Amino acid sequence: MLKKILQKFENPKRPLLGPNVKALRFWGLLLPKNVFKKYFYISMHILVTVFTATEYIDVWFVKSDMNLLLNNLKITMLATVSVVKVSTFLFWQKYWKSIIDYVTKADLYQRRTTDPKKLGLINDFTKYCRKITYLYWSLMYTTVIIVMVQPIFKFVASETYRENVRNGTDTYLQVVSSWVPFNKNTMIGYLAASVYQSYAAIYGGGWITSFDTHAMVIMVFFRAELELLRIDCSEIFGNEANDIEHEVVMSRLKDCHRRHVELVKYSRLFDSCLSPIMLLYMFVCSVMLCVTAYQITIETNPMQRFLTTEYLVFGVAQLFIYCWHSNDVLFASGDLSQGPYESIWWSKDVKYRKDLFLLVAQFKKIVVFSAGPFTKLTVATFISILKGAYSYYTLLSQSQMK
């Protein structure tokens, strides 16, 4: 049953990016050509953007309550990153489309091979992309469901809370803390606010999952392309038992050079689209992790602590996946120069060695993704962010103890 459902996400014309492109279209990041549908999605985006603005307004009203302030802050900042992701994706739509077209074209080109080693590598990477896409979708919507169910659960599970709400000493727990132009402490006002908040949570979750998994799969593609290129470079001259003609050797050399030039071009374009977002996200993630960790330590309700921990896991996983895959691309790019030297270059004429040297010089252009002009997306950077978040957490804990 599940397999049949997942099969509907596949697209034979996009064997690698099929589910990811469908998600981008479903959530309106890739705008349709139909004018009505296009403006429908734009209006949906505007509604969520306006909702994010109301979250900032609500900060002023809850500033006296530290727990509500921290809860609002972590969700508002994550929502801000989502709005920036979508806004930049829409503004730079033509660049994202060109990246998608390049990835699809290069992927289809590689899948024409009959080499079992390369086919096995391609299939492994495709399966990995599916796993990370579906697991990330599951993690994100588990978080969304928890956020939406949390108020209901607290109302049902806590008799004290229900009594406090009835006598007016406590207020209804909101799905997402936000300002509304009416009284949300009445039953009708609360239900109306909850509907809007739930819509924003669901649609915002769709934004995050479609954008993040799309970006992560493209990172995996760059790593796969680099590893496949290394294999092709090692086979430029064939093997000792099979002498390759001059025209074939030159064709292979030119093909490897062309592919790497294209790879560097589109990896830099991809980085230019992603880098500003990752710079903002690193700052937001540091604050979000600090706030969530602090809430876990001060929370006394076991269920509430579990829900907050799940939110923390999602925040850590989101940043870690970016840094991990960027780190993989960096190492694959560094190892690419070994490809030509794994061929039987030593048995060939000097004129081939000169061409091979030029190819190795081209491979010296390292492919790596960044977070603004300040740092690279690597595992070392991820560890530094965790250390920074822990420092902020310690500072916040000590300030509250005084």
Side-chain angles (χ1 to χ4, degrees), residues 35-48:
V35 176
F36 174 77
K37 290 183 179 179
K38 180 179 180 180
Y39 284 102
F40 169 76
Y41 277 119
I42 290 175
S43 63
M44 297 280 278
H45 296 330
I46 292 172
L47 282 173
V48 179

Side-chain angles (χ1 to χ4, degrees), residues 151-172 301:
I152 301 172
F153 178 83
K154 185 174 182 179
F155 190 84
V156 172
S158 176
E159 184 177 351
T160 304
Y161 169 69
R162 290 198 303 272
E163 186 60 33
N164 290 340
V165 170
R166 290 192 186 100
N167 60 34
T169 58
D170 205 345
T171 58
Y172 290 107
N301 187 305

Side-chain angles (χ1 to χ4, degrees), residues 64-259:
S64 58
D65 189 322
M66 177 57 71
N67 191 40
L68 287 177
L69 178 64
L70 294 178
N71 195 56
N72 180 294
L73 192 63
K74 70 178 183 182
I75 295 177
T76 301
M77 296 187 78
L78 186 61
T80 303
V81 176
S82 300
V83 170
V84 172
K85 284 178 180 178
V86 173
S87 300
T88 56
F89 197 98
L90 295 176
F91 286 133
W92 299 332
Q93 187 105 149
K94 64 177 182 179
Y95 301 124
W96 281 108
K97 284 182 176 179
S98 66
I99 293 168
I100 292 171
D101 291 341
Y102 160 70
V103 171
T104 302
K105 180 182 175 182
D107 179 53
L108 289 172
Y109 176 82
Q110 288 293 350
R111 289 175 189 272
R112 294 185 301 177
T113 185
T114 55
D115 185 344
K117 182 179 179 182
K118 292 174 65 177
L119 283 174
L121 191 65
I122 292 169
N123 290 332
D124 288 343
F125 276 114
T126 303
K127 290 177 182 177
Y128 176 76
C129 288
R130 294 297 181 271
K131 287 178 182 178
I132 196 171
T133 295
Y134 297 139
L135 286 174
Y136 192 87
W137 289 2
S138 301
L139 179 61
M140 179 66 230
Y141 275 101
T142 299
T143 305
V144 170
I145 291 170
I146 286 174
V147 169
M148 292 173 59
V149 172
Q150 191 175 343
I152 301 172
F153 178 83
K154 185 174 182 179
F155 190 84
V156 172
S158 176
E159 184 177 351
T160 304
Y161 169 69
R162 290 198 303 272
E163 186 60 33
N164 290 340
V165 170
R166 290 192 186 100
N167 60 34
T169 58
D170 205 345
T171 58
Y172 290 107
L173 179 64
Q174 299 178 71
V175 175
V176 180
S177 182
S178 65
W179 174 84
V180 289
F182 50 81
N183 186 2
K184 56 186 177 184
N185 291 321
T186 63
M187 180 57 71
I188 296 176
Y190 174 70
L191 291 176
S194 296
V195 169
Y196 189 27
Q197 292 165 358
S198 299
Y199 156 75
I202 294 170
Y203 209 77
W207 279 0
I208 295 173
T209 52
S210 57
F211 183 96
D212 285 350
T213 53
H214 169 68
M216 291 168 190
V217 169
I218 288 178
M219 285 183 175
V220 174
F221 160 79
F222 281 121
R223 178 194 169 188
E225 182 68 7
L226 287 165
E227 293 192 13
L228 291 168
L229 188 55
R230 178 177 175 178
I231 293 173
D232 289 336
C233 288
S234 68
E235 297 173 350
I236 286 175
F237 302 109
N239 52 57
E240 295 180 63
N242 184 20
D243 191 27
I244 303 297
E245 295 181 358
H246 172 74
E247 290 77 11
V248 177
V249 171
M250 295 307 297
S251 176
R252 291 181 178 181
L253 280 166
K254 291 177 182 178
D255 184 62
C256 289
H257 185 273
R258 175 192 60 79
R259 284 166 55 195

Side-chain angles (χ1 to χ4, degrees), residues 13-28:
K13 295 181 179 179
R14 300 186 189 275
L16 183 67
L17 288 176
N20 307 97
V21 171
K22 284 193 175 183
L24 289 172
R25 286 176 175 162
F26 180 80
W27 293 107

Side-chain angles (χ1 to χ4, degrees), residues 193-348:
S194 296
V195 169
Y196 189 27
Q197 292 165 358
S198 299
Y199 156 75
I202 294 170
Y203 209 77
W207 279 0
I208 295 173
T209 52
S210 57
F211 183 96
D212 285 350
T213 53
H214 169 68
M216 291 168 190
V217 169
I218 288 178
M219 285 183 175
V220 174
F221 160 79
F222 281 121
R223 178 194 169 188
E225 182 68 7
L226 287 165
E227 293 192 13
L228 291 168
L229 188 55
R230 178 177 175 178
I231 293 173
D232 289 336
C233 288
S234 68
E235 297 173 350
I236 286 175
F237 302 109
N239 52 57
E240 295 180 63
N242 184 20
D243 191 27
I244 303 297
E245 295 181 358
H246 172 74
E247 290 77 11
V248 177
V249 171
M250 295 307 297
S251 176
R252 291 181 178 181
L253 280 166
K254 291 177 182 178
D255 184 62
C256 289
H257 185 273
R258 175 192 60 79
R259 284 166 55 195
H260 192 262
V261 169
E262 283 191 343
L263 190 148
V264 171
K265 173 187 173 182
Y266 283 99
S267 67
R268 288 178 178 174
L269 179 61
F270 174 73
D271 186 49
S272 68
C273 293
L274 188 67
S275 181
I277 298 168
M278 294 313 301
L279 178 62
L280 174 64
Y281 185 68
M282 283 192 168
F283 168 73
V284 168
C285 193
S286 298
V287 177
M288 188 179 71
L289 295 181
C290 161
V291 168
T292 309
Y294 175 74
Q295 284 186 309
I296 292 173
T297 58
I298 64 173
E299 184 60 58
T300 55
N301 187 305
M303 190 61 191
Q304 191 69 25
R305 181 176 290 183
F306 168 76
L307 298 177
T308 308
T309 302
E310 196 278 337
Y311 192 89
L312 177 65
V313 169
F314 170 72
V316 173
Q318 193 175 20
L319 180 61
F320 175 74
I321 292 173
Y322 271 110
C323 292
W324 178 268
H325 290 105
S326 179
N327 199 76
D328 280 348
V329 173
L330 174 62
F331 277 90
S333 179
D335 292 341
L336 181 60
S337 297
Q338 299 177 21
Y341 295 114
E342 291 170 345
S343 67
I344 55 171
W345 62 271
W346 42 267
S347 65
K348 297 301 176 182

